Amino acid sequence: MRIPGRSRTGTEPVTARSPLGLRLLLSVVYIPVFLAGTVFFALWAADSGPGDAPSADSLRTIAWICAALTLVGVIDLIVVLVRRRRERAAGGGGGGRRGP
């Protein structure tokens, strides 16, 4: 995004883009991993007793962290898919490939 009245001060290329393919791959791989972690730790917390180690509170905390990471992954996946769709609609859907 170009801000009027400001010149570029960095050395990044004018056409620099986010690595959408890598972000897509990471989202597709880690969403199920963190979702499984959420379920696993939530069930473990529900099954643990008052004197168990790790405590139910610790397990619930880990489950919440996994749930938050799952949510971040889902949001990133949505952002990546919207950007890829917008690039393809604009005709710039080369996907970073160069050459014929």
Side-chain angles (χ1 to χ4, degrees), residues 39-53:
V39 172
F40 175 74
F41 288 115
L43 291 175
W44 188 4
D47 191 43
S48 67
D52 290 347

Side-chain angles (χ1 to χ4, degrees), residues 20-46:
L20 296 180
L22 178 61
R23 286 175 57 190
L24 179 66
L25 176 67
L26 290 173
S27 292
V28 167
V29 169
Y30 284 105
I31 288 172
V33 170
F34 287 124
L35 185 60
T38 301
V39 172
F40 175 74
F41 288 115
L43 291 175
W44 188 4

Side-chain angles (χ1 to χ4, degrees), residues 43-66:
L43 291 175
W44 188 4
D47 191 43
S48 67
D52 290 347
S55 69
D57 288 336
S58 298
L59 295 171
R60 275 193 291 272
T61 301
I62 295 171
W64 278 109
I65 291 169
C66 286

Side-chain angles (χ1 to χ4, degrees), residues 57-79:
D57 288 336
S58 298
L59 295 171
R60 275 193 291 272
T61 301
I62 295 171
W64 278 109
I65 291 169
C66 286
L69 290 170
T70 302
L71 182 63
V72 168
V74 168
I75 291 170
D76 190 48
L77 179 63
I78 292 169
V79 168

Side-chain angles (χ1 to χ4, degrees), residues 72-97:
V72 168
V74 168
I75 291 170
D76 190 48
L77 179 63
I78 292 169
V79 168
V80 167
L81 292 176
V82 167
R83 285 186 183 175
R84 286 173 60 112
R85 183 176 296 141
R86 191 180 321 140
E87 274 186 7
R88 289 199 174 121
R97 289 182 242 141

